[in-house]
Amino acid sequence: MQKGEANTLLQDFIEKCQAHNLKVTPQRMAIYRELFDSTAHPTVDAMFQIVKKEFPNISYDTVSRTLLTFAEIGIVDLVEVYGGAKRFDPNVADHHHLHCVSCGKILDFHNDEYNNLKIPDHVRRGFTVLTSRVVLKGICDKCSSPGNVSP
Ligand SMILES: [Zn+2]
Ligand SMILES: [Zn+2]
């Protein structure tokens, strides 16, 4: 990440926190920064392992609660994972996901056509669609390369 970019990001974060009366603490800032640096849509557990390096005394609970609060006020997104651990997405703009069913990796991708998905009439009749995201499930490059043993 470029330095200027990081500054705008934190500025943005601080403003959003203030708008929701959420105190900006060094821990919260670190959690947000690390989540943004990660492209893996990490779980609470993965985030805890990362943030712990910087704040050895931080508890799993704090990381978990912080991420859920971020999701609640719309700073981050919750990725829909059915049955699995919750995963978090720092990217709240329109985008779509590639989900590797072998290693569990979730990658972002962008597509204008998908952003403007046509909602079928029978869906629209009984349901107000607020956002839509296309999830393509499959096998990533790494997992499909021959000789590769998936974890
Ligand atoms: Zn994979
Ligand atoms: Zn994403």
Side-chain angles (χ1 to χ4, degrees):
M1 189 183 289
Q2 302 290 310
K3 194 135 202 290
E5 198 183 323
N7 283 340
T8 341
L9 194 74
L10 283 182
Q11 196 52 48
D12 217 48
F13 170 70
I14 291 166
E15 276 167 22
K16 281 180 184 162
C17 283
Q18 283 167 346
H20 290 90
N21 290 319
L22 190 69
K23 229 176 116 199
V24 180
T25 64
Q27 283 92 336
R28 282 183 179 149
M29 228 142 89
I31 291 170
Y32 186 71
R33 183 169 22 84
E34 294 297 348
L35 181 64
F36 224 98
D37 275 349
S38 158
T39 52
H41 302 80
T43 58
V44 172
D45 207 51
M47 283 302 297
F48 175 58
Q49 300 303 332
I50 297 169
V51 177
K52 190 164 78 165
K53 285 184 200 142
E54 200 176 326
F55 298 95
N57 293 323
I58 201 163
S59 73
Y60 180 91
D61 234 46
T62 302
V63 176
S64 173
R65 252 185 298 119
T66 303
L67 286 167
L68 287 173
T69 305
F70 286 173
E72 237 167 72
I73 65 178
I75 291 182
V76 306
D77 237 351
L78 263 173
V79 181
E80 296 195 34
V81 185
Y82 302 101
K86 286 193 182 74
R87 295 173 70 161
F88 295 86
D89 195 337
N91 187 355
V92 292
D94 271 348
H95 72 284
H96 309 281
H97 283 159
L98 299 173
H99 194 154
C100 176
V101 294
S102 176
C103 65
K105 188 157 62 190
I106 296 175
L107 297 168
D108 288 347
F109 76 98
H110 298 267
N111 181 286
D112 283 341
E113 220 172 293
Y114 285 176
N115 290 351
N116 299 303
L117 262 194
K118 193 176 172 322
I119 310 295
D121 283 345
H122 72 274
V123 171
R124 282 215 314 244
R125 269 199 292 275
F127 192 82
T128 306
V129 176
L130 300 175
T131 59
S132 60
R133 168 170 292 156
V134 175
V135 178
L136 302 179
K137 288 198 176 185
I139 312 284
C140 75
D141 241 16
K142 225 171 155 189
C143 292
S144 65
S145 63
N148 190 52
V149 185
S150 42

